[in-house]
Amino acid sequence: MTEKRPPLLQLTDIAKSFGAVRALRSGQLELRAGEIHALAGENGAGKSTLMNIIDGILQPDSGTIRIDGQPVQIDGPATAQRLGIGFVHQEIALCADISVAENIFMAQTARSRSRLMGGPELIARAAEVLVPLADIDPRTPAGRLSISQQQLVEIAKALTLDCRILILDEPTAALTDHEAQKLFRIMRGLAARGIGIIYISHRMAEIFQNCDRVTVMRDGQHIRTDRTADITPADVVNAMVGRQLDALYPPKLAGPRGPEIFSVTGLTEKRYRDVSFAVHTGEILGFAGLIGAGRSEIARGVTRLEGNARGQVRLHGAELTLRDYADCIAKGIVYLSEDRKGDGVFLDMSIAANIAALDLSRVARKGGVIDTARETAQAQRIGASLRLKAASMAHLVSSLSGGNQQKVALAKLLAVEPTVIFLDEPTRGVDVGAKAEIHGILRGLADSGVGVIVISSEMPELIGLCDRVLVVSEGRITGELTGPTLTETNIMTLAAPGAIAGTMALSGTIQ
């Protein structure tokens, strides 16, 4: 009789507290060699704390960690690497001023104690690692890359480590479906070589497409572990939130859309050309496209956050002259960045101060002095409308979960009572419960007469949330999808490089 092999990694009864807050009560996880094991749970469930303990960033208060059946103590990330553990964190941590190649091989360079970095050999090795992931020049300074490209470089870094256990924390949050599929192929190849992969994601489709088993955590505890073949996405979601979650997406616009709120005609800059679109009362307008297609650049060009775009912009039929973002704010045209922690919120400032940041005149007394009582009252009012979970508006934003940080970023825009709101990846890195709440908030804004424009790399989100989707390819709008034409196949067809503008104007049912 063959002796059963012990799990590659086993965590039993892991507990961790931060002062009076118990982040983990009974953390449990079993990872087998050659499996892709999903870890699911709402933000604040304890997933990140458990992974940071595996990586040696945090030390458990109690519990046991075993690798190949043997108890181990992981006293730091260096020890984790020696034990064969690699971790791709959700938050990007590249050095902006050095090249992609130097970022990818930083750990090896540090171990070699060499005074020199770079060189043709390093560039060639980095290019080889990047080939299956993305077309990125390894000589480019990392700070010049988009968020999605930076995420791919983080993944490339992990692939260079000689690891037996690979942790991927929301690796596709900034990727398009096309780029994510490349990653999934790589994951399956690694698993076939016997590497165990812990895959953290809020996207049920990804979990059930790629993972062998799924463990659900809630409130710092292990709730259940199942083979994905034996359960449904609804089972996982209900275990995560501890209640029935009836709908991730609110009902779409039932009748005809209302009058035009905002329009752009002939918007042109070096990264996009002749872009024209309009958003109407009651609808949510989506923008789809592959990484680098120009979706975010168009939104930032309209709002004068980057570039020097030419074109005509109208609000309620009146032509506008917008010189900078301050002009846009004054007209009620605002933008939510895809880089929440870089551009969306001020992590080391209070919730109240963040929400007031775009227009201090609303919370200031004569002479420009901030009225803290007015600032707090504004934050409480808007926070309540968004179901923002925080004990006090004086707490730092850094103390909040990802979903609540995203709500603060959204509250900051709502504080100026916007007329038009561009949202770039509005649910990136937030859990399924917070995602459903944000979708409901966006539908409420559209219903109230705000022009809502959503840019997303998540096709189910675009299809489930938006009434109409414009697809961007190589800086041009190649088609419009609505109603029954709004499918993943049509989005990918229009998004493909070489798609010709106007050849697939698949207009649907909206009048």
Side-chain angles (χ1 to χ4, degrees):
M1 184 175 178
T2 304
E3 185 179 348
K4 185 179 178 181
R5 290 179 58 186
L8 176 58
L9 172 70
Q10 187 173 34
L11 291 90
T12 308
D13 295 330
I14 302 294
K16 180 67 179 178
S17 295
F18 299 95
V21 177
R22 295 188 67 183
L24 283 174
R25 301 168 186 269
S26 178
Q28 298 185 46
L29 184 70
E30 179 190 273
L31 178 68
R32 300 167 185 166
E35 84 164 332
I36 304 174
H37 193 127
L39 182 59
E42 292 192 281
N43 288 332
K47 306 186 304 296
S48 294
T49 302
L50 195 64
M51 294 304 99
N52 284 333
I53 286 171
I54 296 173
D55 199 43
I57 297 168
L58 297 173
Q59 298 301 304
D61 298 331
S62 60
T64 305
I65 303 174
R66 290 182 172 87
I67 293 180
D68 294 324
Q70 300 301 311
V72 295
Q73 182 177 350
I74 307 174
D75 55 14
T79 300
Q81 279 195 18
R82 286 197 298 272
L83 291 168
I85 298 169
F87 193 172
V88 179
H89 293 264
Q90 179 181 346
E91 302 303 335
I92 294 166
L94 300 178
C95 293
D97 297 326
I98 64 175
S99 72
V100 167
E102 290 163 334
N103 269 282
I104 289 173
F105 292 105
M106 188 177 295
Q108 292 90 323
T109 303
R111 284 199 297 269
S112 72
R113 299 183 183 278
S114 171
R115 294 184 180 183
L116 299 176
M117 295 181 72
E121 182 183 353
L122 195 74
I123 298 296
R125 288 172 62 200
E128 186 177 346
V129 174
L130 286 166
V131 163
L133 282 169
D135 182 17
I136 298 174
D137 187 338
R139 295 166 294 187
T140 306
R144 294 184 187 173
L145 302 180
S146 68
I147 292 295
S148 55
Q149 290 174 319
Q150 289 181 32
Q151 183 68 73
L152 291 168
V153 172
E154 287 280 18
I155 293 166
K157 279 173 60 178
L159 296 180
T160 66
L161 302 174
D162 185 20
C163 60
R164 301 174 61 214
I165 299 165
L166 178 61
I167 304 168
L168 299 172
D169 190 356
E170 292 285 351
T172 63
L175 305 184
T176 65
D177 186 69
H178 178 70
E179 301 298 334
Q181 293 303 323
K182 289 184 179 181
L183 173 61
F184 299 148
R185 286 194 291 272
I186 291 170
M187 286 166 50
R188 288 191 283 269
L190 295 173
R193 287 163 39 193
I195 293 171
I197 299 173
I198 300 173
Y199 188 79
I200 302 173
S201 179
H202 298 304
R203 299 179 176 181
M204 292 298 110
E206 292 182 357
I207 289 174
F208 281 82
Q209 175 190 350
N210 299 288
C211 299
D212 303 295
R213 291 192 295 162
V214 56
T215 288
V216 178
M217 294 183 67
R218 186 174 74 241
D219 298 330
Q221 298 184 77
H222 171 270
I223 300 300
R224 63 186 293 177
T225 297
D226 302 271
R227 292 195 318 145
T228 52
D230 296 336
I231 57 171
T232 67
D235 293 330
V236 174
V237 170
N238 293 335
M240 287 168 56
V241 301
R243 63 188 187 278
Q244 288 290 131
L245 192 63
D246 295 328
L248 185 57
Y249 304 106
K252 292 193 178 187
L253 180 64
R257 63 190 182 184
E260 181 183 289
I261 300 171
F262 180 79
S263 68
V264 172
T265 305
L267 192 75
T268 299
E269 208 247 4
K270 60 183 179 181
R271 289 161 294 184
Y272 47 85
R273 57 199 181 280
D274 197 27
V275 171
S276 300
F277 63 90
V279 61
H280 293 248
T281 304
E283 73 170 342
I284 297 179
L285 176 66
F287 271 77
L290 302 178
I291 291 173
R295 302 165 306 163
S296 299
E297 288 81 2
I298 290 167
R300 291 196 292 265
V302 172
T303 53
R304 295 298 186 259
L305 285 164
E306 69 175 37
N308 188 26
R310 305 182 309 278
Q312 194 175 66
V313 178
R314 285 190 170 89
L315 183 65
H316 294 305
E319 188 171 351
L320 301 180
T321 299
L322 302 172
R323 296 160 298 180
D324 51 31
Y325 189 47
D327 282 349
C328 291
I329 293 171
K331 296 293 184 181
I333 304 166
V334 292
Y335 170 78
L336 179 71
S337 172
E338 64 176 328
D339 184 3
R340 178 175 68 233
K341 295 197 173 182
D343 299 322
V345 294
F346 303 105
L347 291 171
D348 296 327
M349 289 172 57
S350 71
I351 297 168
N354 267 273
I355 292 174
L358 284 186
D359 188 356
L360 295 177
S361 67
R362 294 172 183 264
V363 295
R365 297 193 295 266
K366 288 183 179 180
V369 178
I370 300 298
D371 184 329
T372 55
R374 192 181 301 176
E375 183 183 65
T376 299
Q378 174 181 261
Q380 289 173 335
R381 174 176 53 81
I382 299 175
S385 72
L386 300 180
R387 297 183 184 177
L388 175 64
K389 296 175 184 175
S392 167
M393 295 298 113
H395 283 185
L396 299 183
V397 172
S398 58
S399 69
L400 302 177
S401 69
N404 282 302
Q405 287 182 5
Q406 190 74 341
K407 287 181 181 180
V408 171
L410 184 54
K412 185 170 70 172
L413 304 185
L414 297 185
V416 304
E417 299 178 9
T419 306
V420 178
I421 183 167
F422 288 85
L423 302 117
D424 202 345
E425 306 291 356
T427 61
R428 176 177 176 247
V430 307
D431 62 60
V432 67
K435 184 175 288 191
E437 289 183 346
I438 290 172
H439 291 155
I441 290 163
L442 299 186
R443 178 54 65 186
L445 288 171
D447 290 345
S448 71
V450 176
V452 179
I453 302 164
V454 172
I455 301 162
S456 179
S457 300
E458 193 173 342
M459 283 198 284
E461 180 169 66
L462 289 169
I463 294 167
L465 178 66
C466 300
D467 302 291
R468 185 163 55 100
V469 172
L470 302 177
V471 185
V472 182
S473 177
E474 299 178 316
R476 300 190 71 179
I477 293 176
T478 52
E480 174 185 298
L481 304 171
T482 63
T485 69
L486 183 47
T487 65
E488 292 195 15
T489 299
N490 284 342
I491 289 174
M492 289 307 299
T493 300
L494 290 167
I500 300 172
T503 59
M504 288 186 65
L506 302 173
S507 298
T509 59
I510 291 183
Q511 302 300 314

